[in-house]
Amino acid sequence: SENDKPMALKHAKIVLSQVGSPGYYMDVANNPYVFGIHVNSDTYSLPALKALQFHLDATGESTKKQPVRVVYRDRSEFFKSTCRSAIDAATLQGFDVTAIEFNPDGEEMPGVPNSQNAEFLEGLADQLCSADEGPNTNNAAVIACVQERDADVMIAQMILNGCRPTLAWFTTATWGWATRNSDRIPFFLGGGQWHENFAYSDKYFENGTAVLEYGKEKFGYMGSYDHIVSYAMPMLIVELITSYFEVV
């Protein structure tokens, strides 16, 4: 997706992108060729914050006393805007918010990108939940807009620190990472474009699961929601075009 915009502009060709951040499509004056159909990823974490608000209301606790710690990569429109949206919403709701932004391509250790530096990632996890906080105070709500290896290292460190987060929302929780970490996933929240309970059907498939099953039979592996959305987007465009024009 990072190459969609420059390639579309270079060749003056329309590109249908699969990017969830609204800001990705805002530069229309300079690049009118990129379009997309996607759930607004800036809203992905908001139901988790709403659930936390309901919990605090039920227990009579103030949002001011509830830490919300948000860590995110700054080299991606998706990661950055998704977590910035969470920061803005949590701040507006009165939570005690800490924002932790990091450059995965930076080098705190010379010659080693931060994304490959376990000690650096463990340090980020310590900012989310430190062992020094003690068992009764390390209950921050954690929101993380990170890649899979980031999550693996951070979660291992959080476990080592004895963290008991009030909630844990990770971008990775709706990816293939979730299947590989099924022992952890029941305790994680996430957001995405599709779920098996979502209604979808066309003249070829009865639902999204059928799309995935066809893909497994045809290509030998089970895809993710990206597979379904990559299929559904052009199908929707075709339906839109054929509803207005005669296609031969």
Side-chain angles (χ1 to χ4, degrees), residues 26-42:
M26 298 302 290
D27 193 20
V28 177
N30 295 319
N31 195 339
Y33 301 107
V34 178
F35 294 84
I37 301 173
H38 197 295
V39 175
N40 182 350
S41 56
D42 286 0

Side-chain angles (χ1 to χ4, degrees), residues 8 17 77 99 128 197-198 229:
S17 293
E77 177 77 24
L128 294 173
N197 291 329
F198 286 4
V229 177

Side-chain angles (χ1 to χ4, degrees), residues 114-133:
N114 291 335
S115 62
Q116 302 300 314
N117 184 342
E119 185 176 348
F120 173 80
L121 296 173
E122 289 167 355
L124 295 179
D126 288 339
Q127 293 181 60
L128 294 173
C129 169
S130 170
D132 295 335
E133 292 181 279

Side-chain angles (χ1 to χ4, degrees), residues 22-59:
Y24 185 83
Y25 306 99
M26 298 302 290
D27 193 20
V28 177
N30 295 319
N31 195 339
Y33 301 107
V34 178
F35 294 84
I37 301 173
H38 197 295
V39 175
N40 182 350
S41 56
D42 286 0
T43 67
Y44 277 1
S45 66
L46 303 188
L49 288 173
K50 180 61 69 174
L52 179 57
Q53 180 74 67
F54 286 155
H55 168 72
L56 294 176
D57 288 346
T59 56

Side-chain angles (χ1 to χ4, degrees), residues 20-23 40-49 68-93 95-102 124 128 141-147 150-151 154 167-173 175 189-191:
S21 313
N40 182 350
S41 56
D42 286 0
T43 67
Y44 277 1
S45 66
L46 303 188
L49 288 173
V68 174
R69 294 171 186 163
V70 186
V71 61
Y72 61 96
R73 288 175 164 233
D74 69 353
R75 302 289 108 169
S76 160
E77 177 77 24
F78 167 66
F79 290 127
K80 187 172 183 177
S81 70
T82 300
C83 265
R84 288 305 313 180
S85 175
I87 290 166
D88 292 343
T91 301
L92 187 63
Q93 294 172 32
F95 289 105
D96 176 14
V97 181
T98 301
I100 306 166
E101 179 179 291
F102 73 99
L124 295 179
L128 294 173
V142 174
I143 297 176
C145 298
V146 296
Q147 287 282 16
D150 307 337
M154 290 181 188
L167 69 81
W169 188 101
F170 277 65
T171 46
T172 55
W175 301 350
L189 299 171

Side-chain angles (χ1 to χ4, degrees), residues 177-199:
W177 180 89
T179 303
R180 296 190 297 274
N181 292 271
S182 58
D183 57 326
R184 296 169 170 176
I185 291 309
F187 306 102
F188 281 75
L189 299 171
Q193 303 172 67
W194 177 83
H195 186 273
E196 62 183 10
N197 291 329
F198 286 4

Side-chain angles (χ1 to χ4, degrees), residues 205 208-222 227:
F205 298 101
T209 301
V211 176
L212 294 180
E213 291 173 347
Y214 174 82
K216 184 177 182 180
E217 179 181 345
K218 187 73 173 178
F219 306 111
Y221 68 93
M222 181 68 80
H227 181 171

